[in-house]
Amino acid sequence: MYELKEITLKNKGYEKKRLVIRFFEEKYAILAEFLMSDAKLLSHELELAFDKVRTNRADKIVLTGNRCAVEINKIRTEITDLYEDLNQEGYQPLTISTEKFHEYVNMWKNHLTEFNKINNK
């Protein structure tokens, strides 16, 4: 379904390691972008959103990050690319089950935590 890879960014003798995720199916490219760019930024808000829709305290929650917007309801989540309207090469929107989306967010968070422990972040 996906692969995780460590990359090294270099600039004038400075190196920084990053964890990236790539999904084998192209339709999940926007999910990879969300995980790498916005999941950490929205971590707290995502957990609140999952809780609110799961417990019927909200019908839907819309969150906007730097790259993506997500609309979360109890059954499904839609991820859209904020760059799509800027006449740039954007990613296609993705609709997946909220349960699966929550699993991916938690999976990424766990992998990132382990990666940062190993790389002294």
Side-chain angles (χ1 to χ4, degrees):
M1 180 93 205
Y2 64 87
E3 70 178 345
L4 298 171
K5 188 192 263 185
E6 179 183 302
I7 63 167
T8 303
L9 304 173
K10 298 178 182 182
N11 185 12
K12 298 179 184 177
Y14 177 75
E15 291 186 1
K16 186 162 191 154
K17 293 181 180 186
R18 291 283 188 217
L19 185 65
V20 297
I21 186 170
R22 185 181 73 81
F23 287 88
F24 300 132
E25 290 184 61
E26 183 62 30
K27 70 179 184 175
Y28 290 100
I30 190 66
L31 175 58
E33 285 300 313
F34 174 81
L35 294 172
M36 292 184 291
S37 64
D38 294 330
K40 187 173 181 181
L41 171 73
L42 298 172
S43 180
H44 181 70
E45 290 85 354
L46 282 167
E47 287 308 315
L48 291 174
F50 292 134
D51 184 57
K52 284 182 179 179
V53 297
R54 183 179 43 82
T55 59
N56 296 317
R57 289 184 286 145
D59 291 334
K60 72 177 180 180
I61 305 284
V62 177
L63 300 172
T64 304
N66 290 324
R67 176 67 196 237
C68 305
V70 293
E71 182 177 302
I72 303 167
N73 69 41
K74 190 171 187 171
I75 305 299
R76 64 181 165 269
T77 296
E78 183 172 2
I79 309 166
T80 56
D81 190 348
L82 295 174
Y83 291 0
E84 188 176 52
D85 293 335
L86 299 176
N87 294 325
Q88 296 186 16
E89 290 283 327
Y91 294 103
Q92 293 298 312
L94 175 67
T95 301
I96 61 174
S97 76
T98 297
E99 180 181 345
K100 195 70 171 164
F101 179 61
H102 195 184
E103 288 174 15
Y104 282 126
V105 168
N106 286 334
M107 171 276 302
W108 178 249
K109 183 179 173 181
N110 292 336
H111 282 300
L112 207 51
T113 298
E114 287 303 312
F115 177 81
N116 288 336
K117 280 181 189 176
I118 292 168
N119 291 288
N120 299 317
K121 260 308 216 173

